[in-house]
Structure formats: C-alpha cells, structure tokens
Amino acid sequence: MRFTPWATRLVLTLSLSATAFLTACGGGGGSSSSTQIRLLNATQSYANLDLVVSDKTINSKVAQATTGSYGGVDTANAPIQVQTSDVGNSVAALAPTLAGNSNYTLIAYGFAGSVRTSLLQESQDAPDSGKVKVLALNLAPDAGQLDVYITTPDAALTDATPFVAGLVGGAGSGYIQLNAGTYRVRVTGPNNKTDLRLDVSGVTLDSATVNSLIFTSTSSGTLVNGFKLIQKGAVTPYPNSLSRVRMVNGLAGGTYASSTVQGQTLLVNSPSPNRADYISLPAGASNLVVNVNGKAQSFAAPNLVAGADYTLLLYGTAANPLLNVLVDDNRLPSTSGSVKIRLINGLSGNNPLASLVVDYTTLASNVQAGSSSAPAMISSTPGSTVQITSPLLANPLYNPGNNGGTTSLTPLTANGVYTALIMGDSTVNTGTTPPTMPGATGMFIKDR
C-alpha cells in the first residue's frame, strides 16, 4: 500500500471479496465514454478549490469540507487538475482511467505544498432496508495506523471491538454492512484505546445507504478530522474537537511538580527532570492546575485549539517557577526517509541559550529559555552525533548517545519526529577545567 504521485490507490484487503474501488466495479460498465465526477475539498490549507478536467472547469470554488456538483467528462480524455480558486494554480494533477456511465468523487486532502488526491468510485449496490454499507478510509498519512470504532452512543471504549484495526495511511476497510442507526465514531492509535484521535457522537447512517467515513490529518499530525460521505449524496464534516497535551517538568534542582488539565492528571508529585505523555482532552479553556513542591501556582490557563498538540513546559526554579505553552508540530517529514528534530530549551538562570547540533551541523542556534526551535528536517541515519550546546561552554551540555563516558551514536529512524530537551540550572561552574554546567540535564524523545 503506498501513495502514488497522482492519487491514493486504495486496495482493500480486509476479506477475500475486498473491493478495489478505484476501478470499474458494480453498476458501471457499458460502452459509454461519459462519466460523472465531483470534488470533495478535504484539505487543511485551501478555503476554495476548483476541479478542472481537460481544461474544462467541472467544479468552481468548492469550499473546505464541501463537495461540488457532478459534471460529465469524457473518459477517453480526462486529465484532471485540482486548482486554487483565486489564482488557478494547480495543487494536484492526475490522469486516471475512468469507467463510463459511473460516478466518482475526487477527494483532495492534505496541506499546502503536499496536497494528495484519492479517487472514489461510487458504484456500490445499496443494501437492503434497515442496513447500511460503511467504508472507513484513512487519508491521514501523518497519523499513522488507526483503529476505528463504531458503537452505540453510550458504549464504553474499553469494551468495544474495532470496526477496523490497523488501518494504514491510504487504506480502506472495504465496504462492511451494519444495521442502520445513529452511532458514536471513535478513532484511536493502533492497539491503544487510550490514544484517542477523534470522538464524534450523533453519526447517522440511514437505511439502505452506502457511506464512506473519511479521516484526514489535523495541524498536529496525530489527531484526525472526520467526514461522512454518502454515495452520490451529501458530505457531513466532523471536525476534531480534541487537543493533545503533555507536560515537561524542567525545574532546576530535582523540584517536585504535580499537574492536571481539565481534571486529567499529567504529573503526580514528580521530581525534575520528568515528563508526562500526551493525553487527549476537549479543546478550549484548559483549567490548568500546577503545584510546585506542594505549593499551588497561578499560571494563566491556555486556550487549547482543536486538532493541535501542546507541550506545557515548566522551567525555572522552585522559588520562581515559569510556564510556557509550546505548540508541537508532530506531522511526519514531508520527504520520505527523512526525520524531523527540534530543540526545547527549559534551562533556568542568566541568559541560558542553547543550540542543537547534529553530526556537527547546527540545526538550531541560541534558542531562548522557555521556547522551542522550529523543526529541522534532515536525512535519517542508523547513528548520529546529537548534541545540545551552550555558547558559554566549549563542551556539549548533553549528548543522548553518551553513556557512562562512552560515546555512542543516536539512531534517527526514517520518518521519525524527535525532540531534544535541555533543562535545569544553567549556572556555569568556572572552578572546573573546562567550565561545566553541572545543573543541566537533557532528554531525547521520539515523538513519532
């Protein structure tokens, strides 16, 4: 299963009768050279898009999360472009083989500079009364594999069986028959029901209809948006209402910290350096509670944007704790085989600048305390020299490959996303040769 330059070809292998729905099947056929096509704008970056076939505009100004109307095209001459509605620049192009006397929806998804397309042939026979056919379609390559649950509204996820498990980017489940009704749709990471990526209630699947549940990436790269597309019918968007949050305790001197967000626990009386894993929670006002060495802190509660990932960076000292909210970019590298890496500086003290150096090339220079560098994209390697440095010192502050004085290399796995963290007291010990920063400590995290 892979993406092609012009479309996501979805070969569905859930069963022996799996449907390849990008080629003629079902009610298509005949000798007709005409077929019907429309555009679904499922992108994150383009407010309006046009669908152009053989230089003829089929759909104009298709807004995000909507479809255009069907237009007839000649199957013998059907080069397709998806264009911006304002300037007319092409953001995706394909030259598919179309079956005559059929219907297609071209799904455009992704972000500016990396728009992809998936061509969905709509030729499934309708199920019997009281039944529905449902296809789950993972068009969120940044999210990785997904488990999809379709349950009654009040069902506990802990007791639920996936509608489809391990759905990779670009893959579909095949059409599966269910009873008609109103359901709750939840999407999680693979084999991890606590890794919630989407939670939507009130998804109505009407009797005798064919439906596609389409999942696309949000700005974070990990959470997903949803769409319900009825065959030859309307689309209903289900934008993500969640955010993901984690906390890093980078306070100097092994200071203890506890924290909750919207009543969910991040840290429990944890000494620095420490971190909590991401949790998913409703976007909006965060209702943040932080205690440092048992004393409540009065930090401003951040407003969490739906679809985004955040690191709550706690740094400074026990006497003067500071908090900064960092927006995390956990989208996968845009170039296959590369990695993304960034630096978070949680040092305290006077002018505690830090830089990130990989294989003796500086990727982020003089990052201020309490902030993060922009992610850098570099080639993956089986082993790299990763160092966090300070302009005050000749030797590195932190090297994750250094173990007991023996330097080894740090693997940077292809398509991975990494965070290098430096924390603690930035006071320089000038009584040593060379000078050191003994209160500083680091972490190296593989986020994806």
Side-chain angles (χ1 to χ4, degrees), residues 262-325:
Q262 297 183 11
Q264 296 193 48
T265 300
L266 290 172
L267 294 174
V268 181
N269 203 29
S270 300
S272 62
N274 211 330
R275 68 178 178 91
D277 291 331
Y278 285 108
I279 61 171
S280 297
L281 43 81
S286 62
N287 189 25
L288 175 66
V289 177
V290 178
N291 287 275
V292 173
N293 283 346
K295 182 179 179 181
Q297 304 299 310
S298 57
F299 297 127
N303 189 55
L304 305 176
V305 175
D309 287 358
Y310 295 91
T311 293
L312 307 181
L313 176 61
L314 189 62
Y315 67 110
T317 64
N320 184 31
L322 303 169
L323 180 77
N324 203 10
V325 180

Side-chain angles (χ1 to χ4, degrees), residues 179-198:
N179 294 328
T182 299
Y183 295 102
R184 185 176 179 183
V185 175
R186 281 167 284 190
V187 180
T188 71
N191 301 311
N192 187 353
K193 293 180 178 181
T194 64
D195 182 12
L196 190 61
R197 308 291 186 88
L198 179 69

